[in-house]
Amino acid sequence: MTEDPFVTHRSLLFTVAYEMLGSAADAEDVLQESWLRWADVDRAQVRDPRAYLVRTVTRQALNRLRTLSRSREEYVGEWLPEPLLTSPDIAEDVELAENVSIAMLTVLETLGPTERAVFVLREVFEMPYGEIAGAVGKSAATVRQIARRARDHVAARRPRVQVSRSEQQAVVERFLAALRTGQLQELLDVMAPDVVLIADGGGLAAAAPAPVHGAELVAKMLARPDRVVSAVWLNGAPAGRIESDGRLAAVSLVVENGKVARIHAMANPRKLTRLDEPAELAR
């Protein structure tokens, strides 16, 4: 027996939904809804199961995203994506790793639902404009215009300096080592003077309610010696896992010019349930 196309393409479908929503939990809900619809389809009428399933998942994710947009406006403090444990192999696909990074997902959050769907399907999964048009309910010409606007929007906000995987890993290791010792000067040495810390506690864990700017302030917040710090791979990049007083947090870093330029700290316990088993991502 041949495997069901939904099972065959599940990793791809999850990645599409996660890219659009920034939440693994919501992505799983979208896949469940899409599976129920797929189960009722006459397979003989489906010429391209992969395209059909991507279109179905996109529509369900768009519906979910429009609902989430309202609830995220009422979110307590800063909202950050749900981090995923990934294997180092994900980093081998440079484009996939960049597009599922916490930094990129944070930028995508500033797009409207349709713009985000078009950007993800075009720039990440390289779908033809005609297929995207069918998924988002717009004409191909309109989709081209939306794609151009979304591309310009993202380009203006994404990290400008690209670093090699080895440099990223070296800086992350230095930062995690400084966290382990809790020494103020070691933290200052590895961070850019204008570093920004964005923390997401969701009202369920202690976190700064707004971005914290400047190395001095950030270092004073982070300089604590009573933590267990370990290196992990999150969203295709080296990152950190921190345990302190029975609480868990994950940190993802943006590196520029050999220094930590931005710190994304995820402490909301509802977003930290997928740090024990690597996620299956695919393009």
Side-chain angles (χ1 to χ4, degrees):
M1 292 180 62
T2 58
E3 194 170 59
D4 187 287
F6 193 97
V7 176
T8 301
H9 299 300
R10 193 185 192 286
S11 295
L12 164 69
L13 301 175
F14 174 81
T15 308
V16 170
Y18 176 69
E19 278 267 349
M20 285 185 59
L21 299 166
S23 162
D26 288 310
E28 291 288 1
D29 287 345
V30 162
L31 258 62
Q32 180 64 25
E33 293 162 3
S34 300
W35 164 253
L36 293 174
R37 282 163 174 73
W38 174 246
D40 289 335
V41 168
D42 180 358
R43 312 293 171 83
Q45 302 300 313
V46 179
R47 291 195 299 271
D48 185 345
R50 180 181 183 275
Y52 184 93
L53 288 167
V54 169
R55 189 161 60 245
T56 300
V57 165
T58 299
R59 288 172 178 164
Q60 295 304 313
L62 263 175
N63 291 339
R64 178 63 62 100
L65 190 57
R66 291 180 180 122
T67 302
L68 290 174
S69 295
R70 292 189 290 273
S71 64
R72 286 177 187 175
E73 290 174 1
E74 302 167 0
Y75 194 79
V76 177
E78 295 292 315
W79 187 95
L80 288 174
E82 180 181 350
L84 294 179
L85 185 69
T86 53
S87 70
D89 295 344
I90 294 294
E92 300 297 335
D93 185 337
V94 176
E95 286 190 16
L96 177 61
E98 181 181 355
N99 284 302
V100 299
S101 70
I102 295 295
M104 175 59 84
L105 292 172
T106 303
V107 172
L108 293 185
E109 194 66 18
T110 64
L111 290 170
T114 302
E115 287 179 313
R116 184 167 182 167
V118 169
F119 181 88
V120 167
L121 294 178
R122 180 62 186 173
E123 298 301 315
V124 183
F125 299 98
E126 301 176 343
M127 282 181 59
Y129 288 111
E131 285 189 28
I132 299 173
V136 301
K138 306 283 186 183
S139 70
T142 299
V143 165
R144 285 179 182 274
Q145 294 175 344
I146 294 172
R148 184 169 59 252
R149 287 200 308 270
R151 194 160 47 240
D152 291 345
H153 178 98
V154 170
R157 290 163 178 80
R158 76 199 311 174
R160 300 183 185 281
V161 181
Q162 299 297 316
V163 299
S164 68
R165 176 174 166 181
S166 59
E167 181 183 356
Q168 173 87 13
Q169 195 157 5
V171 174
V172 170
E173 287 174 357
R174 283 181 58 207
F175 178 81
L176 296 180
L179 278 184
R180 288 188 191 99
T181 65
Q183 294 298 309
L184 192 66
Q185 190 56 52
E186 291 184 21
L187 284 165
L188 287 170
D189 289 343
V190 76
M191 295 189 297
D194 57 351
V195 65
V196 179
L197 166 67
I198 300 173
D200 176 350
L204 301 173
V212 180
H213 297 261
E216 290 282 351
L217 280 176
V218 172
K220 286 176 181 176
M221 289 184 65
L222 297 179
R224 289 179 50 194
D226 57 337
R227 290 176 295 203
V228 177
V229 180
S230 54
V232 292
W233 284 79
L234 299 178
N235 293 62
R241 174 186 174 124
I242 304 169
E243 296 176 69
S244 177
D245 298 327
R247 291 185 174 275
L248 179 64
V251 291
S252 174
L253 309 176
V254 175
V255 174
E256 294 179 3
N257 302 316
K259 300 277 189 178
V260 175
R262 185 172 290 259
I263 304 167
H264 294 112
M266 288 74 71
N268 183 340
R270 292 178 181 169
K271 296 184 178 182
L272 300 174
T273 61
R274 295 172 182 266
L275 299 185
D276 294 319
E277 184 175 350
E280 297 291 333
L281 302 176
R283 284 203 298 160

